[in-house]
Amino acid sequence: EGTLLLTRAPGYVLVTHDVDADDFVNRVREGRSLLDTDPAAASMVIGEALSLWRGRAYEEFTYERWAQSEIEHLTEARLAAVESRIQADLDRGMAGELIGELGSLVREHPLRERFSAQLMIALYRSGRQAEALRAYRMLAERLADELAITPSAEVRHLEERMVMADPL
């Protein structure tokens, strides 16, 4: 019990646990479970999970073939956690405070639709409908130019609601 080096035929097995990654995943899961009932608590718990990050995942092994899939997996998990934390903050009425952060995230991840959609919502809820619609057009142009696709149905519906001045 608690042993890291175990004897197994035909030799030994080194048992490792990526404690920070496990803690991150568990905290994000806990935070997401609070999204519908307590967005402030969800934001806090997911924020704590994100505070575990220091730099890039396995940065010292960036060019090692064996690490590539884990780096991609952890990077995606981190970005999804950021999206969840931002959603919690939007749900608790912090639209105006999120615009700068979301603008940076959209510039850093221009093809990630959820960041663009969250920026649109933050702008719209801050009384900046024209800028929200411009954010949609910029996303649509990027997707068309780089991938020859249109925004998802969810994002197109969001844009339609903004054009109609529906409350979000």
Side-chain angles (χ1 to χ4, degrees), residues 19 28 47 50 97 110 128 130 135:
V19 176
V28 169
L50 289 165
E97 294 91 329
R128 297 163 64 175

Side-chain angles (χ1 to χ4, degrees), residues 96-163:
E97 294 91 329
L98 294 168
I99 292 171
E101 177 183 7
L102 283 164
S104 295
L105 288 166
V106 167
R107 284 187 296 279
E108 189 176 340
H109 306 281
L111 301 177
R112 197 167 183 100
E113 284 190 50
R114 187 146 185 226
F115 285 143
S116 290
Q118 289 174 322
L119 175 60
M120 291 166 57
I121 292 168
L123 288 164
Y124 186 79
R125 288 182 182 169
S126 298
R128 297 163 64 175
Q129 180 185 21
E131 291 174 74
L133 293 171
R134 183 173 54 210
Y136 173 81
R137 280 193 311 279
M138 291 173 67
L139 171 65
E141 289 171 8
R142 281 192 304 272
L143 292 175
D145 291 347
E146 295 188 35
L147 303 174
I149 62 173
T150 61
S152 67
E154 179 184 344
V155 176
R156 290 192 315 267
H157 180 67
L158 177 62
E159 186 257 355
E160 290 170 9
R161 290 184 63 196
M162 289 178 179
V163 168

